[in-house]
Amino acid sequence: MAEKKTGSGGESGARKSKQRGARRDLDALRERRMRAAEMFAAGRRQIDVAVELEVSQQTASRWFRRWTEGGSEALEGAGRAGRRPRLDDTQIEVTREELLKGPQAHGFATGVWTLGRVAIVIERLTGVTYGPTQTWTILRTRLGWSRQRPARRAVERDEDAIVAWRENEWPRIKK
């Protein structure tokens, strides 16, 4: 794979995506370990498992040791990876419903959500404090929301008046 040069020291695209929270396919990893258990049970050597499943010899050896000590169940895996979320699905759904009511329903002066405002609402509802980065992660990954910016054009904007001014007044002023 060719490395993509970036302005920050030439990190590869693959490395950047990993830093942005790329998810591992835990089911596929589990299936590969279960395939290794089947191969061990059939009498296949560790090196054969490593080559066929495209893993290192050390990984095949570790799997074999676990398999001999605990059978296929020992290769099942721990389930999910990483820390458990501080907000459960019910709390996320309550947060979604409250956020849909808008910022003004929560006592804010304008109708624009900011990460700070969302964090305040989450804390009021759940008692869990989040910073801007974690708040954005919740909005993006758990709620499926994206960043929105208000349109910069005023509702009262009159396109005909702008065209007339540009054709008549601007040339007069420009002189």
Side-chain angles (χ1 to χ4, degrees):
M1 176 191 308
E3 287 202 355
K4 191 163 86 175
K5 295 289 183 189
T6 65
S8 61
E11 293 177 296
S12 72
R15 184 170 175 195
K16 280 211 164 269
S17 68
K18 197 171 199 178
Q19 290 175 344
R20 289 190 184 130
R23 302 281 183 221
R24 291 182 289 170
D25 185 355
L26 298 177
D27 291 332
L29 295 172
R30 182 191 165 283
E31 288 301 318
R32 188 164 57 167
R33 290 190 307 271
M34 291 299 98
R35 177 73 182 119
E38 292 170 6
M39 293 171 73
F40 292 141
R44 303 280 301 270
R45 298 178 307 158
Q46 293 177 29
I47 188 67
D48 297 333
V49 171
V51 170
E52 188 169 327
L53 298 180
E54 298 178 353
V55 298
S56 68
Q57 291 179 13
Q58 292 86 354
T59 297
S61 176
R62 187 173 58 249
W63 287 351
F64 182 76
R65 187 171 51 253
R66 287 184 188 168
W67 178 78
T68 55
E69 292 171 358
S72 295
E73 296 80 28
L75 292 178
E76 282 284 332
R80 66 175 311 283
R83 180 181 294 173
R84 298 225 177 265
R86 293 193 288 171
L87 298 181
D88 61 26
D89 292 338
T90 305
Q91 290 172 312
I92 288 293
E93 195 52 42
V94 168
T95 301
R96 176 192 314 271
E97 291 169 9
E98 289 299 316
L99 292 177
L100 288 173
K101 292 178 183 177
Q104 292 171 324
H106 292 278
F108 298 107
T110 64
V112 178
W113 280 118
T114 64
L115 293 176
R117 289 177 176 186
V118 172
I120 289 169
V121 170
I122 291 173
E123 186 174 4
R124 285 179 190 162
L125 294 172
T126 65
V128 178
T129 305
Y130 284 110
T133 304
Q134 295 91 348
T135 303
W136 171 238
T137 301
I138 289 171
L139 289 173
R140 188 176 31 110
T141 60
R142 306 247 350 243
L143 293 173
W145 291 7
S146 62
R147 180 178 62 161
Q148 302 291 312
R149 294 203 175 217
R152 296 218 178 249
R153 295 179 183 253
V155 176
E156 300 86 6
R157 184 178 170 111
D158 183 359
E159 293 295 332
D160 294 335
I162 293 171
V163 170
W165 184 88
R166 201 176 285 143
E167 290 175 355
N168 301 327
E169 294 297 316
W170 177 243
R172 183 182 61 79
I173 297 170
K174 189 175 172 183
K175 289 182 184 178

